[in-house]
Amino acid sequence: METGLIVFSGNANRPLAERICDSLQTTLGSASVSNFADGETRVEIGSNVRGRDVFIIQPTCAPANHHIMEALIMADACRRSSAQRITLVVPYFGYARQERKNAPRTPITAKLVADLYETSGIDRILTLELHTSAIQGFFNIPVDHLFAKPVFANYLHSRPDILLDLIIVSPDAGGVERARALAKYFNCGLAIVDKRRERPNESTVMNVIGDVKGRNCLIVDDICDTGGSLTKAADTLAANGAKGVYAVVSHPVLSGPAISRIEASALREFICTDSIPLSAEAIKCSKIVQLSISELFAEAIRRIHNSDSISSLFV
Ligand code: R5P
């Protein structure tokens, strides 16, 4: 009987799954994840998983609903095939922005998705930069929550032009904790853009709290969806006298007008991870730099498999 770790991928981000496997010096387990003629997801696991430590890599990028179903059905297949443990690796945990009721008669989708994952037989979650850390508590199974900071910091050390006269900027009040962590790491100041959102996916930048004049502003955010929040923040910082405006964004959702907004904005560089694959349009955008989280995830998977601590990956 084969034992040990085995990694599978759904269709959400196969290139990332392959990079993670390269770092682990293994190859992806065999799994056919396709569709029936009517669009239902059809899964057939080709590799033996009996008694094995299974990792399924599947971020919730677009089409989010479809990719969630693939993860659930893959987990169900592995559970019914006697996997010893199933870890769902979700580099981008979607539906996380609705993590509380902020208006009457609205859902809490982050909790619903957490319940769905648990029901399918998933034993633990490995994820990156949740919209808010409290989502960990929506699960009754262990959640290992990684941060993109080490990946961004490593890149920024090679960019003294950005680090000179640096100030870290949170594009809204909700992102201050994330921005403060990077400001503390680089031992520099912190500014906040006070944003008032009138409708979902639309934002109005009101004010900059902090002095950004003559500084290199590095905006830190977890998600860039339509790019409205980010580009309005960038243009506001430029209007307030910033020397250069850059952004580090963990999850490049980049839907709708995001790329054209980034192109037209004051942003000099949009630095993101590969938690979500870039579209052909995004790949062509010269302002976008994509850094890989594959080694970070490979190390986390290795440590989870060996029951080692992963806290040193949080720095
Ligand atoms: C908001 O709380 C998030 O951190 C992002 O700033 C937001 O989801 C980005 O959305 P968009 O790019 O559509 O403005």
Side-chain angles (χ1 to χ4, degrees):
M1 185 176 83
E2 283 183 283
T3 56
L5 179 158
I6 186 161
V7 181
F8 293 103
S9 177
N11 290 309
N13 195 346
R14 213 179 155 86
L16 172 64
E18 282 166 356
R19 285 193 281 274
I20 291 173
C21 282
D22 285 348
S23 294
L24 287 168
Q25 295 182 312
T26 185
T27 51
L28 278 172
S30 153
S32 160
V33 186
S34 59
N35 295 106
F36 288 104
D38 64 354
E40 286 181 1
T41 296
R42 180 182 182 280
V43 169
E44 211 171 314
I45 305 292
S47 306
N48 177 24
V49 295
R50 186 175 292 270
R52 297 188 73 174
D53 193 10
V54 171
F55 292 81
I56 299 169
I57 300 174
Q58 182 82 334
T60 323
C61 46
N65 300 349
H66 180 74
H67 288 148
I68 289 172
M69 279 309 292
E70 282 191 0
L72 297 172
I73 295 170
M74 290 180 78
D76 185 77
C78 291
R79 180 171 58 94
R80 292 176 194 280
S81 308
S82 305
Q84 181 242 322
R85 178 173 67 174
I86 303 166
T87 300
L88 181 65
V89 182
V90 202
Y92 167 56
F93 187 94
Y95 278 114
R97 282 172 285 179
Q98 294 173 80
E99 90 289 11
R100 66 195 149 90
K101 286 187 73 167
N102 53 11
R105 297 175 296 282
T106 53
I108 303 180
T109 55
K111 169 66 176 150
L112 176 63
V113 171
D115 287 345
L116 290 170
Y117 284 153
E118 278 195 54
T119 303
S120 71
I122 287 159
D123 297 297
R124 66 187 302 139
I125 298 283
L126 172 60
T127 189
L128 176 84
E129 294 286 356
L130 287 167
H131 183 56
T132 165
S133 293
I135 291 171
Q136 293 171 59
F138 294 0
F139 288 90
N140 294 309
I141 53 176
V143 176
D144 289 310
H145 182 202
L146 302 175
F147 297 95
K149 194 181 79 182
V151 176
F152 290 140
N154 188 39
Y155 173 75
L156 290 164
H157 280 303
S158 72
R159 293 295 304 273
D161 56 317
I162 298 179
L163 296 182
L164 187 70
D165 300 323
L166 181 68
I167 186 164
I168 303 292
V169 181
S170 173
D172 53 38
V176 170
E177 195 185 334
R178 185 177 293 111
R180 192 190 292 126
L182 208 59
K184 197 171 161 198
Y185 178 86
F186 283 113
N187 194 22
C188 67
L190 178 69
I192 301 165
V193 177
D194 179 31
K195 177 181 76 171
R196 305 277 158 91
R197 194 188 291 275
E198 302 297 331
R199 278 176 290 278
N201 285 141
E202 279 185 28
S203 66
T204 310
V205 173
M206 300 294 290
N207 213 350
V208 177
I209 303 168
D211 185 7
V212 299
K213 196 162 185 224
R215 314 292 290 273
N216 273 327
C217 294
L218 182 66
I219 303 172
V220 183
D221 210 349
D222 58 334
I223 298 167
C224 178
D225 186 355
T226 64
S229 313
L230 181 66
T231 55
K232 282 181 184 169
D235 293 346
T236 302
L237 294 166
N240 279 262
K243 180 166 65 169
V245 186
Y246 305 83
V248 286
V249 175
S250 304
H251 306 300
V253 176
L254 300 178
S255 50
I259 304 297
S260 55
R261 283 177 172 168
I262 289 171
E263 293 276 20
S265 75
L267 265 185
R268 287 194 188 167
E269 212 169 288
F270 175 95
I271 304 155
C272 61
T273 79
D274 57 353
S275 66
I276 296 173
L278 294 180
S279 65
E281 187 193 10
I283 289 169
K284 277 193 228 137
C285 175
S286 60
K287 291 186 179 181
I288 296 182
V289 174
Q290 195 179 35
L291 309 173
S292 188
I293 49 170
S294 55
E295 283 185 21
L296 179 69
F297 270 86
E299 187 57 27
I301 289 171
R302 194 178 289 118
R303 289 181 191 209
I304 290 168
H305 176 64
N306 294 329
S307 299
D308 287 335
S309 168
I310 66 161
S311 56
S312 62
L313 302 179
F314 298 158
V315 291

